[in-house]
Amino acid sequence: MRHIIYIIYVGIAMMMLAVSSCSNAKPQDPNELAVRAAKVYYDYLIAGNFEAYVDGFYRPDSIPGSYREQLIVNAKQYIGQIKDDHSGLVAVQPVRAKTDTAHHVGRAFLMLCFADSTKEEIVVPMVLHDGNWYLK
C-alpha cells in the first residue's frame, strides 16, 4: 500500500512539472524592446560605427548610396558637434519608452551622458517593422 501512495505522489509531481514546463513564455514588453533598440543605435554612435547607426533607420524603400553616405556624414558631424560642445559623448542610458503597437510606433527616452559631466534627456521616435524597432 505504501508503494502505491509513493507512486501516486511521484506521478502527480511529474505531471505538475510537465504541465509547468509547457507554459507559454511571457511576451516581452514592447516598451523595453524599443528603448533597448534605441540605446543600441546610439551606442553605435559612441563607438564611431556610423554605418551601423544609419542602418538603424527605418527606410521602407531602398535609398541611393549617395544619400546613405550623406546620412553617415551627418552622423559624424553630429558627434563632432557634441565633441565641440561637451567634449564628447561617453554613455547612453535607457530611461523609458512609450509605444503604440497598434500603430507600430513609439518614442524612446534616452539620457545622453557627456564627457563634461552634463546630461541631456532626448526623445527618439521609433517604428516597429517586422518585429524590430528602428529609428524614425
Side-chain angles (χ1 to χ4, degrees):
M1 186 69 175
R2 198 174 221 192
H3 294 291
I4 295 174
I5 293 174
Y6 176 74
I7 292 171
I8 291 172
Y9 282 127
V10 170
I12 290 173
M14 290 178 67
M15 193 178 340
M16 290 176 64
L17 181 61
V19 169
S20 68
S21 68
C22 293
S23 65
N24 293 335
K26 181 181 174 187
Q28 292 189 322
D29 179 22
N31 293 327
E32 181 67 26
L33 294 175
V35 76
R36 273 196 225 160
K39 181 189 180 328
V40 167
Y41 298 133
Y42 273 78
D43 283 343
Y44 289 145
L45 277 178
I46 292 173
N49 192 349
F50 303 110
E51 294 83 5
Y53 171 75
V54 168
D55 290 339
F57 281 91
Y58 174 67
R59 296 183 303 267
D61 300 321
S62 62
I63 61 169
S66 60
Y67 181 61
R68 183 175 183 277
E69 289 303 316
Q70 288 176 355
L71 293 173
I72 292 169
V73 168
N74 286 346
K76 289 178 182 178
Q77 289 174 342
Y78 174 63
I79 290 298
Q81 187 65 47
I82 288 175
K83 284 182 182 175
D84 291 345
D85 294 345
H86 299 285
S87 302
L89 180 62
V90 294
V92 176
Q93 298 171 345
V95 178
R96 69 185 181 285
K98 292 189 177 208
T99 58
D100 180 352
T101 53
H103 292 103
H104 308 289
V105 295
R107 295 180 318 231
F109 297 82
L110 300 174
M111 184 67 67
L112 302 182
C113 304
F114 301 107
D116 64 0
S117 74
T118 59
K119 294 181 180 183
E120 177 182 357
E121 186 173 319
I122 63 169
V123 180
V124 181
M126 304 291 287
V127 175
L128 180 63
H129 180 73
D130 290 338
N132 296 312
W133 285 99
Y134 295 96
L135 300 169
K136 187 173 182 182

